[in-house]
Amino acid sequence: MNIKKAIRRRVSAALGRPRNQRRFIDSSLGIAGFLRVMKEEDVNYVALRWFESLPEVAPGEDIDILVADNDVEIMTSYMKVAGKKGDIPCDIYSVSGLPGSSSRNMPYYPVPIGRKILEDAIWVNDLVRAPSPDDHFLSLSYHVVYHKGYAAGVPSEDEERNRKVLPCSDHDYVETLKRLGRESSLNLDDLDPTLEGLDRILSGAGWKPAHDTLEKISSKNEWVNDVLHSEAVDVQDYLSGLSVFLVREEGVEHLDSIRQMLFDQGFDNVLEGRIPDDRVSETVSGIRGGNWGKGPWPKSGGFPVYYFVVYDARPLRVSPETAKEHPGLDNERISIAKIRIRDRYNSSVPSHKKCNIIHSSDNAHQALCYLNIINSESIPFVEGEAARKFSKFMTPFFVVCDLSNHARRAKVELIEYHGRKAICKTFKEGREHYLEREVVARQVGAGLSEVSRMLEVGDNYIVMEFYDGSIDNISRIRPLFHGNPYLPIWAIERMKNVIIYYRERGYECVDFSPKNVLFDSSSGLKVIDFEFLQQVDGASKELDGNFAWYSAPDDFKGDLPQWKNNRSLYRRRWFRYTGLPLYFCVNDYPKVVLHLVRGVTFLYFSVNNARRKALSLPIRKFHFR
């Protein structure tokens, strides 16, 4: 034991922070010494492939090892992150794909399969633990099909795909699989391996990854990508906004908060419930590759116990960055919602209790797969609700183009309206009160020329006059280096009058900012968005305390937008357009004073913008000769 401790101390000194699964066995310990230590330490592992020749390893080869999560630390304590000449490279994969021992941030095998390989392991030459004969064939087949694909040199049954197969110089997988098939109890004496044939065998043995896992694999495996595209089921348009969110054990006490956050992000709640006891096991193993470990968090969020089936009538386009990180994702709102829910939960718990409490499908096809596992009887109802919501959200006019931004509550479209252009704002189900505010704002504000004109109102839509202009066109004065345009003093006064007008009638212009204002060359200044206009107790003729510039009081019971915080609204949303500190907007000052103040803030913004621009420039290296 003293020798082993000395080895561990010496090897630990070479350890860095592991970025991936690659480790090295110190040459002084050697493979035989390492394997003996693993046996003495009773480490639960297997050498996945080419273990028959161990402890000999051919030059340029490495050792692929699957190890139980609980034994990763003890195994890697005898290994190094950075190797030197003579050290033996190894790839270490933990069963659940823990950080630093995963395959592209995923488990190397679906978690139930990984556990089975370890449970059925056998000793070879009384030196190394290896998969059983059946698991050896299946695990190598899995490696060929889902890890290597065309790069394995195994032919495809499809002529076009077969042209993409690359010769494999390091191993003859075809002959090896034939031999392993004969040595197994799977009745594969006449096996002639093909990628598709192996895929069928793995599927029949219960080894094929779930659809959500295959979609993630497809970003790095062209064969899987080709097969998924060829087998893709055409999802009806009305189902494209369907998603399933799974709440894990640690999040079950926050269901009300999660439900509200999903709604606030733009999802309609279609169905929810606790996962039936008789479906829990299949849900755990059949979704997320069976991986419900802690991932990059200090602790695991637990198994899935509750589900929300939600619908988004207007899915959000996925950014290229998000698509690269989450292959198969068809609605950016799904990713946004998960991040918000996780962040909200983790901001409320100590650091050591932070975890991932929510998982979701990435697209409608996955959602139906999840639902088929959890509650297949509900699929007709869910599909019917999706069709109804999709139909109800259709625009009753010819759409010229979509002008929507986030569309959490409504979509905004340029339409043809009785021979002229107009704006149609269509609200999602359950957001009708936002439509009512738009209507009330124009009824109450009928005496204001700045209020955009209402042309028609339906059950879930409002049609407004189209104005061809932008607030950016109102002024050419802007701080240097891409600052926002400074509004003319007269425009600021007009906006102040809008706030006072509604306050005098007992309404607060919550969420009102210059971004909600257009400047039309013929119609002038127009306010276009009143979704958060709300009636309050008491009227006021003052600007002081208005909800567009000041924080809403803590006892305010109405709706607030999804701001990061309710503080410093004027500074964050108005200052860069007015160029005036709040004090100079709330109080009346001669224009000459206001222009002098704006001159100072113009300089402030210009210098600040220049500093930010300088900090964002790449550092150039100069070489002196």
Side-chain angles (χ1 to χ4, degrees):
M1 290 299 293
N2 290 335
I3 296 176
K4 287 197 295 182
K5 287 181 180 179
I7 293 171
R8 291 179 67 174
R9 281 197 298 270
R10 181 158 48 81
V11 171
S12 296
L15 281 174
R17 183 176 180 83
R19 294 183 178 181
N20 53 36
Q21 73 280 1
R22 179 52 57 102
R23 302 291 194 283
F24 296 85
I25 298 173
D26 191 276
S27 57
S28 63
L29 176 61
I31 297 174
F34 174 78
L35 294 175
R36 283 195 295 269
V37 171
M38 293 300 100
K39 188 172 184 179
E40 291 175 12
E41 296 280 10
D42 196 25
V43 173
N44 188 10
Y45 80 98
V46 294
L48 289 166
R49 296 177 284 280
W50 327 120
F51 47 78
E52 297 92 337
S53 61
L54 291 177
E56 299 300 322
V57 175
E61 289 292 327
D62 56 19
I63 307 174
D64 295 301
I65 299 175
L66 179 71
V67 59
D69 291 354
N70 293 338
D71 288 337
V72 171
E73 186 175 354
I74 181 89
M75 172 175 279
T76 55
S77 69
Y78 288 96
M79 310 177 89
K80 300 190 295 186
V81 171
K84 63 180 188 299
K85 186 176 181 180
D87 292 342
I88 301 92
C90 303
D91 286 334
I92 306 300
Y93 301 104
S94 57
V95 168
S96 65
L98 298 174
S101 58
S102 66
S103 173
R104 297 165 182 162
N105 297 318
M106 297 170 57
Y108 198 61
Y109 296 102
V111 173
I113 300 301
R115 290 179 180 146
K116 179 182 183 303
I117 293 173
L118 294 182
E119 289 171 2
D120 297 343
I122 61 173
W123 285 99
V124 174
N125 299 329
D126 198 32
L127 178 67
V128 57
R129 276 171 57 90
S132 67
D134 288 359
D135 288 350
H136 190 188
F137 170 81
L138 292 170
S139 63
L140 186 63
S141 297
Y142 189 105
H143 177 62
V144 164
V145 176
Y146 306 124
H147 293 154
K148 299 187 76 69
Y150 293 127
V154 175
S156 169
E157 296 172 2
D158 182 270
E159 184 177 346
E160 184 175 344
R161 292 180 204 153
N162 201 44
R163 297 193 190 102
K164 300 181 182 180
V165 173
L166 302 173
C168 185
S169 59
D170 54 349
H171 296 288
D172 187 343
Y173 285 103
V174 171
E175 291 304 317
T176 302
L177 286 169
K178 287 181 179 180
R179 174 176 61 81
L180 294 179
R182 291 192 297 270
E183 294 173 356
S184 74
S185 64
L186 301 174
N187 298 319
L188 299 172
D189 293 343
D190 300 323
L191 176 69
D192 188 13
T194 63
L195 291 171
E196 290 78 11
L198 294 173
D199 177 62
R200 289 191 293 270
I201 291 172
L202 290 165
S203 179
W207 280 56
K208 185 170 183 173
H211 186 81
D212 58 352
T213 304
L214 286 172
E215 286 192 336
K216 295 185 183 302
I217 291 173
S218 68
S219 65
K220 300 294 184 180
N221 187 320
E222 190 178 0
W223 180 84
V224 173
N225 184 67
D226 289 346
V227 170
L228 286 180
H229 277 85
S230 68
E231 297 177 350
V233 178
D234 288 334
V235 176
Q236 298 292 331
D237 289 344
Y238 68 85
L239 291 174
S240 62
L242 194 66
S243 305
V244 173
F245 285 82
L246 301 177
V247 182
R248 300 170 68 170
E249 290 168 302
E250 292 295 326
V252 75
E253 294 182 2
H254 303 269
L255 295 177
D256 290 341
S257 175
I258 293 171
R259 185 184 301 108
Q260 185 61 48
M261 291 184 74
L262 289 173
F263 180 82
D264 290 342
Q265 285 301 319
F267 292 102
D268 296 349
N269 193 6
V270 176
L271 182 69
E272 64 176 275
R274 182 171 287 275
I275 297 175
D277 292 341
D278 61 344
R279 309 306 297 164
V280 170
S281 177
E282 190 174 348
T283 301
V284 170
S285 61
I287 294 175
R288 215 172 181 262
N291 180 20
W292 300 94
K294 65 180 184 177
W297 306 93
K299 63 176 292 186
S300 168
F303 291 137
V305 293
Y306 201 89
Y307 69 100
F308 289 99
V309 182
V310 297
Y311 184 75
D312 179 9
R314 202 273 189 181
L316 198 59
R317 186 185 301 275
V318 180
S319 68
E321 296 79 15
T322 306
K324 184 177 181 180
E325 184 178 356
H326 300 287
L329 185 71
D330 66 356
N331 185 357
E332 182 98 18
R333 208 182 310 280
I334 296 172
S335 178
I336 294 172
K338 284 194 293 188
I339 292 171
R340 294 280 177 88
I341 291 169
R342 290 167 184 165
D343 288 351
R344 171 78 66 85
Y345 172 82
N346 285 321
S347 66
S348 67
V349 298
S351 296
H352 68 281
K353 290 188 176 182
K354 294 183 186 298
C355 63
N356 177 11
I357 65 167
I358 193 101
H359 176 67
S360 76
S361 58
D362 283 340
N363 51 59
H365 182 66
Q366 279 188 22
L368 291 173
C369 291
Y370 285 16
L371 202 53
N372 189 53
I373 295 173
I374 297 168
N375 184 358
S376 59
E377 296 82 2
S378 68
I379 290 179
F381 167 77
V382 168
E383 290 181 335
E385 279 295 282
R388 182 185 64 80
K389 290 176 180 291
F390 179 83
S391 177
K392 187 176 180 181
F393 199 59
M394 295 287 286
T395 308
F397 307 99
F398 175 78
V399 178
V400 177
C401 65
D402 193 332
L403 304 175
S404 306
N405 189 8
H406 298 293
R408 286 187 290 262
R409 298 173 294 276
K411 62 180 178 180
V412 181
E413 296 166 316
L414 178 64
I415 63 169
E416 286 286 347
Y417 183 77
H418 301 308
R420 60 170 171 162
K421 291 180 180 179
I423 296 296
C424 182
K425 198 169 187 179
T426 310
F427 289 82
K428 293 181 176 180
E429 198 168 54
R431 283 85 172 174
E432 292 81 6
H433 56 291
Y434 294 105
L435 168 60
E436 293 171 6
R437 291 170 185 165
E438 294 278 15
V439 175
V440 168
R442 286 160 179 86
Q443 292 172 341
V444 174
L448 278 174
S449 63
E450 291 83 5
V451 174
S452 53
R453 193 158 71 93
M454 179 171 59
L455 302 178
E456 183 180 327
V457 179
D459 291 339
N460 66 336
Y461 69 87
I462 180 173
V463 179
M464 298 168 286
E465 194 166 355
F466 171 70
Y467 303 102
D468 189 7
S470 166
I471 193 68
D472 291 344
N473 300 334
I474 199 171
S475 173
R476 295 184 179 180
I477 301 174
R478 64 173 68 223
L480 304 178
F481 308 109
H482 310 295
N484 289 100
Y486 270 9
L487 298 173
I489 298 298
W490 65 262
I492 298 172
E493 293 298 325
R494 297 268 295 274
M495 293 184 189
K496 289 163 63 173
N497 290 338
V498 170
I499 295 173
I500 291 176
Y501 180 94
Y502 283 106
R503 294 202 92 200
E504 288 176 339
R505 288 155 180 79
Y507 290 87
E508 286 289 353
C509 296
V510 180
D511 198 35
F512 178 43
S513 80
K515 289 185 176 181
N516 299 333
V517 180
L518 297 178
F519 182 73
D520 184 83
S521 56
S522 58
S523 302
L525 212 65
K526 294 293 180 180
V527 183
I528 59 172
D529 188 353
F530 290 96
E531 288 185 19
F532 284 91
L533 180 80
Q534 293 166 78
Q535 196 165 17
V536 295
D537 294 332
S540 174
K541 296 183 179 181
E542 306 294 332
L543 285 166
D544 188 42
N546 76 80
F547 288 13
W549 294 354
Y550 296 86
S551 304
D554 294 337
D555 60 353
F556 178 64
K557 303 299 183 183
D559 289 335
L560 292 175
Q562 295 182 52
W563 297 316
K564 290 184 178 179
N565 62 70
N566 185 33
R567 309 298 173 191
S568 306
L569 294 180
Y570 181 88
R571 179 176 57 81
R572 290 189 288 110
R573 313 185 78 217
W574 284 79
F575 185 29
R576 63 181 182 270
Y577 288 98
T578 65
L580 294 170
L582 178 58
Y583 180 82
F584 288 92
C585 262
V586 173
N587 299 287
D588 291 328
Y589 281 92
K591 288 186 178 180
V592 65
V593 174
L594 299 181
H595 284 302
L596 287 173
V597 172
R598 280 155 64 98
V600 174
T601 60
F602 180 93
L603 181 62
Y604 163 79
F605 280 122
S606 296
V607 172
N608 201 37
N609 290 341
R611 181 182 61 83
R612 290 182 179 179
K613 185 174 182 180
L615 291 175
S616 66
L617 290 175
I619 298 175
R620 300 181 64 182
K621 297 181 179 180
F622 296 92
H623 300 277
F624 298 93
R625 296 177 184 268

